[in-house]
Structures are given as structure tokens and as C-alpha cells.
Amino acid sequence: MEPPRSSGVGIDNSGEYSPEIAETLRFEEEIQSLIHPSSFDGSAAPTGGGSFTALLGLPANQAVELLHDSGAREPLASRIRVGEHPVHRPFHLPLDCSSAFPSNATLVDRAARFSVFAAEGSPASSSGRLKAEPQDSDSPPLDPIPTGPAKRKDTGRSKAKVTAKKSKNAEENTDGDKLPYVHVRARRGQATDNHSLAERARREKINARMKLLQELVPGCSKITGTALVLDEIINHVQTLQRQVEFLSMRLAAVNPRIDFSSLDSYLSAECGPVTVRNGPGGVVVDPSLWPTDATAEATRRLLVPQFWHIDLVPPQLQPQQSLTTWERDGAAHSQLLPNPTTSLFLYDPANSGDTNVPHRTAKLKTAEDRALNL
Amino acid sequence: MIASSSSACRSKTEEAGRKAQPPTKWRATAQQRVYGRRLLDALRATAGGGARAVKAAADSALALTARGQSRWSRAILLGRRRNRNRRNLLQIKDKIRSDRGRTRPASAPRGTDRLRVLRRLVPGCRKLSAASVLEEAADYVAALEMQVKAMRALADAFSGAARAAATEAQRGA
């Protein structure tokens, strides 16, 4: 499980995610230590009774650390006293995780949440709960069960760093233990029949999406009221569409006059280190037409060959003629390739061109792959 | 022609498998690069003039960059492949209907009306529920913003390059 994750992260942005990955790895070990008690070192044997005494059986420093840790840990200890199970095992988790906890606020939050459920008095789930707690602590996920106050807090800080698998397990543990048959807990003063529950869920979904939209559209966060916000959104969408139309008109006006050769330099300049290789070369529909003319220095430097797939060009004379006019304008510098390549978008590596076709296609494919992998 | 280009585009696309939150994935510059490339190539495919063709190509490229994860992108791509004459007729019909509706006084402040308008604006959302329309709208807005940015950059680059080429030609000649 671990190697794919790390490799996946390595591709994206290793600098950003490595601390989280270290965290997840640490949690992996802890959870495995949970599952396999034999791998424990220095812990009390899993005995039948006396949870708290078993806790005292832990090495002194660990117990001290547990009890004197941040105030958020207090509920943990107190709940252990309530429960009647050998809960010493999970205590290793907070000790190891203490350095990895993002903030105490999340713990307090979670403690508050769990204390609510503890009040319901489901002792059978205490061990499962505790096991779930530290797992949960690293990835405060969005509760699928919209329990009233808990959901609000969760949505406030939902930033899943750990993979969803562990959090899902945690959620399933907690949900299965606490609320076996009821999915939504009604808030105070609200109807509890099925219809209003469904309606409320639907309304909350819509409101969540509306909030998302509000953040997206500039200037909508100040507006209160669904109707006005919707108006603003519609206005924004129409504005964007109109802008697209105007820009397309502009592009269409400029299109015939450009040779697409100097374009990629601008594109790469603005978009960062794009691996566009410039070089002469091109598959043309009509190979015999265009000589290899070396024109101005700028255009030669910025050349991009134009590979035209045969299917791409419609079976009319017009585009070919427009191509030829571009060529005759003298801005382009292309070579002839007798065989058309099969791939559509190929960028030539920076060499002077007359390499044989299969060689070139290999190079081009890698360049294309690199450009697309981004 | 656009249909063939889009099919060719699709045959060439590689699935990089981006799994980001739908509205925020459009913000990444990586997406802009991908879209820029696709747009460029699609533009090369369009025959000379024709603003509508350019817009169609741009929209198709945008829908392609969405990798079919959103309904509106699928609607755009599928709509292009179908018979274009039929689509034009449908659009004309819609225009007539909407004109009659516009004679009514300003849209009553009801959420349903606005939802209807939104459904019409976002392609492919005619029969969706309110929640899905909002979700699609969020994705669509993000994608449109990226499209506008990319097209504006391209247009500026185009005009700059055209000017440069013109001056070069003048100097050369």
C-alpha cells in the first residue's frame, strides 16, 4: 500500500506532500501495531480486566506523557475510565502521534464530538471509537452522516491529507457503532419525519453547491440571498461566454495572417517550462510544393513544424491553398517529409531535420508525452 | 471537420488521471498548458476565417480538456458530432421561444426561473436537478475562466507575432 502512494505523490509535487506522507507512514505502522499486538514492545499483555490499571502497566514515561499531555487528551483518559475494555493498546497511538498532530484544536473538536456520542452510552464501541480516533485525527474527513453540530465543524476544516481509505474505515467503525439504524440526527426544534429529513438533506446539498459557486464567482460572497446570487452567477456566465465569442472573433481575424511558427514561443514563455522543441520539419499535404527556405532569423528560431494529418484537412482545396499562402508569405520554414506521420500533434526536437521518420516520431512522441505529462 | 478533429484529438489523448476537486482543477497552470496546446492544434485545423468555427474549436478543445468528467463537456462533444444542421434548427427554435419569453416583464424573483436560465446557459444540463445544475455550473465557470485566459493570451501572442512577422518581412524585403 505504501509504495504506490509514495510514488504517486512523487510524481505530483514531492516537496509539498512529504511531511504528510511521513505522517501517513507513521500512522500505518501504528495501525498495524494495533492489529498485531505481538509486534508491541514494552506494552502490557492484553489482559481481561482493569483497563486503567493496564494503563498504569505501561512504561512510566508513556503513562505520564499520556496523562499530562494537552488538555484535549483528558477526555480520552476519562473515557477510558468509563469503558471496561483493555484499552491500553490504543494508547500507543496518541503517544506516537503527539508529534504529528496538526493542532490541538482538531483534537478538542474531535473530543467534543466524541464526547457527545459517549454520552449516549455505547460502551461496546469504546475500543472501536478509540481506535478510530487517532486515525481520524490526521484526516478530519467529512462525515457522511450529517449529524448536526458535528457536520458543521467538520465542513469547516475538511482537509484530508491522509488517503481516504483509513478515514473511511474510521468512519465506518464509528458510524456502525454509534448509529446503527438512524442516519440523520434531527436538530432541536425540527421535524423528524422522512419527508422533511429528505428535504433538509436536499436543501443542504443545494446550499453547499451554492456556496461553492459563490466562492467561484467574484463578488458574490457579499450578497445574501439565493436569488441575487443566482443572478450574479448567470451574469458572470454570460459575460464569460461573450468574452469567449469576442476572443474567437479576434483569433479568427488574426488566424490567416499567422504562421503558427512564432506562437509556441509565446505559449511556452507564458506557460512556463514547456518542453516544446522547435525545429524544422513538416509533413505537408503536397510535398512537392514548398522549398526549404531559410527566412528571417526570428521565425526560424521559433519554428514549429506543422504536421497535418490527412484526415484532419477536409477534402477541399481551400485549406491547402491557405497553407500555401502562409508558406509563400515567407515566414515559415519547413522541410518536406515524404511520408506523413500518423500522430497529429508532433513537435520536432531541435535538430536540423532530415532524420528518418521512425526516429523522429520516437523523439516527437517523448516530447509530446513530456509536454502533456506536465 | 470539427468532428474529425475532435475524434482525432480524442484518439490521441492520454489519460493522466487528474483527480482534483472539480472547480479547482481548472486553476492549475498545467491545465492551461494542456488546453493551450489543444487549442493551438484545433485552431490549425480550422480553415482560415470563421469566428464561429474558431469558437466551436475552442469549446471542443475545452470540453476535451475536461476529459469527459463533467456533463457539460460530454454534451459539447456529443453535440458537435451529431448532425449540425439539426442542432442549428434546434437553436433557432430555442431562440424563438426565448424571445417570446423575453417580452414578459423582468424575470420574477423566483429561484426556479433563474435555475431555468442557468440550465439553458450551461450546456447539457436541461434535465438535471437543481443540485447537479449548480455543480455543473461551478465547473463550467471555472473552465470558462481558464478558456478566456488562454484565448486572450493566444490572441495577444498572435497579434504580437503577426506584427513581428510583418516587420521582419518588411525588413527582409
Side-chain angles (χ1 to χ4, degrees):
Chain A
M1 207 195 315
E2 296 166 60
R5 200 191 304 147
S6 51
S7 65
V9 163
I11 288 180
D12 281 341
N13 199 348
S14 54
E16 264 182 76
Y17 292 131
S18 41
E20 280 117 330
I21 288 304
E23 265 179 346
T24 64
L25 292 183
R26 237 176 299 151
F27 274 113
E28 270 287 329
E29 299 163 20
E30 283 144 10
I31 287 160
Q32 285 188 5
S33 65
L34 260 190
I35 300 171
H36 310 295
S38 58
S39 63
F40 262 17
D41 19 308
S43 74
T47 54
S51 54
F52 209 61
T53 53
L55 167 61
L56 295 181
L58 285 175
N61 52 352
Q62 286 183 341
V64 163
E65 202 180 333
L66 177 65
L67 290 178
H68 289 283
D69 217 329
S70 61
R73 311 289 171 88
E74 285 304 320
L76 242 171
S78 60
R79 217 168 306 113
I80 301 315
R81 273 178 241 124
V82 166
E84 324 264 351
H85 303 270
V87 293
H88 52 274
R89 207 171 304 142
F91 279 133
H92 278 266
L93 284 176
L95 304 176
D96 288 348
C97 310
S98 58
S99 54
F101 277 157
S103 67
N104 280 337
T106 58
L107 266 182
V108 176
D109 213 345
R110 176 135 346 78
R113 176 155 57 105
F114 281 104
S115 61
V116 166
F117 292 113
E120 285 178 279
S122 54
S125 63
S126 67
S127 62
R129 222 184 298 145
L130 290 168
K131 209 187 296 188
E133 269 189 42
Q135 293 180 23
D136 250 327
S137 66
D138 196 50
S139 72
L142 270 180
D143 245 336
I145 297 181
T147 57
K151 186 188 186 191
R152 294 286 165 266
K153 287 185 202 151
D154 267 344
T155 49
R157 55 179 168 90
S158 66
K159 226 181 249 184
K161 292 185 207 164
V162 188
T163 56
K165 198 198 247 180
K166 268 192 285 182
S167 53
K168 262 190 231 144
N169 287 340
E171 285 172 2
E172 278 159 20
N173 284 342
T174 57
D175 301 339
D177 293 335
K178 291 189 198 92
L179 307 164
Y181 48 87
V182 171
H183 280 274
V184 175
R185 201 163 56 147
R187 264 169 287 180
R188 211 181 149 197
Q190 295 201 349
T192 55
D193 48 327
N194 288 338
H195 291 298
S196 36
L197 278 181
E199 270 244 5
R200 197 167 348 123
R202 177 176 160 271
R203 251 182 287 143
E204 283 178 0
K205 223 178 14 160
I206 291 186
N207 284 341
R209 305 256 167 90
M210 282 280 300
K211 231 191 298 176
L212 206 59
L213 264 176
Q214 257 186 313
E215 294 164 17
L216 211 50
V217 178
C220 263
S221 14
K222 305 179 200 148
I223 304 180
T224 47
T226 329
L228 298 175
V229 166
L230 271 179
D231 267 343
E232 193 58 45
I233 292 172
I234 290 176
N235 193 7
H236 192 61
V237 167
Q238 282 174 336
T239 308
L240 284 175
Q241 282 179 340
R242 237 178 291 141
Q243 276 179 347
V244 166
E245 283 192 33
F246 286 151
L247 282 171
S248 69
M249 268 198 311
R250 260 183 78 188
L251 276 174
V254 177
N255 242 3
R257 296 199 293 130
I258 210 59
D259 55 355
F260 285 106
S261 57
S262 43
L263 200 51
D264 274 305
S265 70
Y266 291 97
L267 202 59
S268 50
E270 133 228 343
C271 292
V274 176
T275 63
V276 171
R277 305 275 171 253
N278 301 320
V283 174
V284 297
V285 184
D286 198 0
S288 58
L289 254 185
W290 304 323
T292 67
D293 202 4
T295 56
E297 180 53 38
T299 53
R300 197 199 309 148
R301 199 173 20 101
L302 311 168
L303 253 192
V304 171
Q306 305 173 21
F307 284 81
W308 290 88
H309 195 226
I310 300 289
D311 294 339
L312 199 54
V313 179
Q316 314 158 7
L317 252 323
Q318 191 180 359
Q320 297 184 15
Q321 288 173 358
S322 62
L323 264 180
T324 58
T325 52
W326 296 347
E327 283 299 321
R328 286 206 205 98
D329 277 347
H333 171 204
S334 63
Q335 273 189 354
L336 312 179
L337 262 193
N339 5 348
T341 57
T342 51
S343 153
L344 238 198
F345 314 117
L346 296 175
Y347 294 102
D348 212 12
N351 50 1
S352 61
D354 343 282
T355 56
N356 41 354
V357 174
H359 185 59
R360 177 193 306 236
T361 49
K363 275 199 229 168
L364 289 167
K365 277 246 151 53
T366 56
E368 182 190 37
D369 292 348
R370 243 176 299 134
L372 279 183
N373 277 345
L374 308 160
Chain B
M1 168 195 56
I2 296 294
S4 61
S5 84
S6 52
S7 62
C9 290
R10 206 173 302 138
S11 64
K12 129 190 142 64
T13 52
E14 337 176 356
E15 296 306 310
R18 277 180 211 94
K19 295 267 181 181
Q21 269 300 316
T24 56
K25 78 176 180 192
W26 292 102
R27 296 271 172 86
T29 38
Q31 285 281 13
Q32 203 174 350
R33 241 182 283 158
V34 169
Y35 176 64
R37 298 237 157 279
R38 285 225 182 93
L39 183 59
L40 250 187
D41 302 315
L43 281 180
R44 280 194 211 133
T46 51
R52 219 170 299 146
V54 170
K55 176 173 186 294
D59 286 342
S60 306
L62 185 69
L64 267 180
T65 317
R67 295 191 182 281
Q69 284 168 7
S70 46
R71 275 203 188 80
W72 58 264
S73 63
R74 289 195 286 264
I76 288 182
L77 290 176
L78 293 177
R80 298 238 181 270
R81 292 188 93 189
R82 280 200 215 113
N83 205 351
R84 215 180 271 165
N85 293 337
R86 205 175 344 140
R87 250 182 78 85
N88 284 341
L89 281 178
L90 280 175
Q91 284 176 358
I92 294 173
K93 258 199 291 180
D94 281 340
K95 252 184 239 159
I96 295 176
R97 238 184 271 138
S98 66
D99 279 341
R100 224 178 280 141
R102 225 174 280 149
T103 58
R104 238 188 300 137
S107 55
R110 287 182 65 211
T112 49
D113 284 348
R114 294 181 172 83
L115 265 184
R116 213 174 304 150
V117 176
L118 204 54
R119 278 207 184 92
R120 227 185 316 141
L121 280 182
V122 182
C125 293
R126 284 186 184 274
K127 295 182 190 165
L128 289 186
S129 62
S132 333
V133 168
L134 289 179
E135 188 181 356
E136 292 292 318
D139 200 29
Y140 190 54
V141 161
L144 273 184
E145 285 191 17
M146 191 211 68
Q147 185 182 20
V148 163
K149 242 194 295 179
M151 285 180 73
R152 192 174 290 147
L154 262 184
D156 292 339
F158 260 135
S159 39
R163 241 180 294 127
T167 51
E168 293 279 359
Q170 276 180 9
R171 248 181 279 144

